[in-house]
Structures are given as C-alpha cells and as structure tokens.
Amino acid sequence: MAIRYQPCQAVLGAEVDGVDLRQVPDEATIDGLEEALEQYGVLIFHAQHLTPAEHVAWSHAFGPLVMTQGTETRLPHSPEIFVVGNTIDPPVTF
C-alpha cells in the first residue's frame, strides 16, 4: 500500500495513511516520512495500536533514542517511553 498524506486544514500537519507502525520501516519509508515531516511539521497516524516494544523498535529506526532524566516519568518496562499526562493518577501501564 502506498503512503498517502492528507494535509490538515490547520496551519500545519498531515494525516498519514498506509503505514503500519507495528512494522519497523524500511529506508524508503523513513525517507518519505522525514520529507513529509519537514513539509507538514506534524504527522498524524490514526488507529495505531502498538505495544511499548513495537513503539520503541519503530522509533529506533529514525535514530538513537534519548531517555529523560527522571525515572518517575518513564514507562516501567520500557524506559525509552516518556509518559505525558495531566492527571495525578498513577502512570499508565501497557
């Protein structure tokens, strides 16, 4: 399936279709996504259901990951993932 980009009606951003984030991208996909990111500024991937391990593997394809300093904001079994939220509840676990 070819990758398609649908520009958002906002000032920046595009919705991306045709990419399964559970699969580590090949070089051509990486190049295309990097070009689209330069053009649109933000890429939106709808309906993607990844495990933390799949998320980390996909992210590694774009280069080395930098972990945050604070361990309390990292996902317990996937410290490469920084958990962001606006509640005081315990962190989300996958």
Side-chain angles (χ1 to χ4, degrees), residues 3-64:
I3 299 174
R4 292 182 307 282
Y5 302 96
Q6 176 63 46
C8 295
Q9 293 183 2
V11 175
L12 60 110
E15 296 177 357
V16 181
D17 189 34
V19 176
D20 182 353
L21 300 185
R22 296 172 297 172
Q23 305 298 318
V24 175
D26 59 23
E27 286 298 319
T29 300
I30 291 170
D31 291 344
L33 291 170
E34 287 177 340
E35 286 179 27
L37 185 58
E38 284 185 38
Q39 180 178 353
Y40 299 111
V42 173
L43 299 179
I44 303 163
F45 300 87
H46 288 287
Q48 299 284 330
H49 304 283
L50 290 88
T51 66
E54 290 168 335
H55 190 151
V56 170
W58 196 84
S59 299
H60 269 292
F62 291 88

Side-chain angles (χ1 to χ4, degrees), residues 58-93:
W58 196 84
S59 299
H60 269 292
F62 291 88
L65 303 179
V66 178
M67 296 199 303
T68 63
Q69 295 293 324
T71 57
E72 70 281 353
T73 57
R74 297 181 193 167
L75 198 59
H77 298 292
S78 296
E80 301 91 344
I81 297 178
F82 175 69
V83 179
V84 178
N86 63 352
T87 63
I88 300 174
D89 297 330
V92 175
T93 57

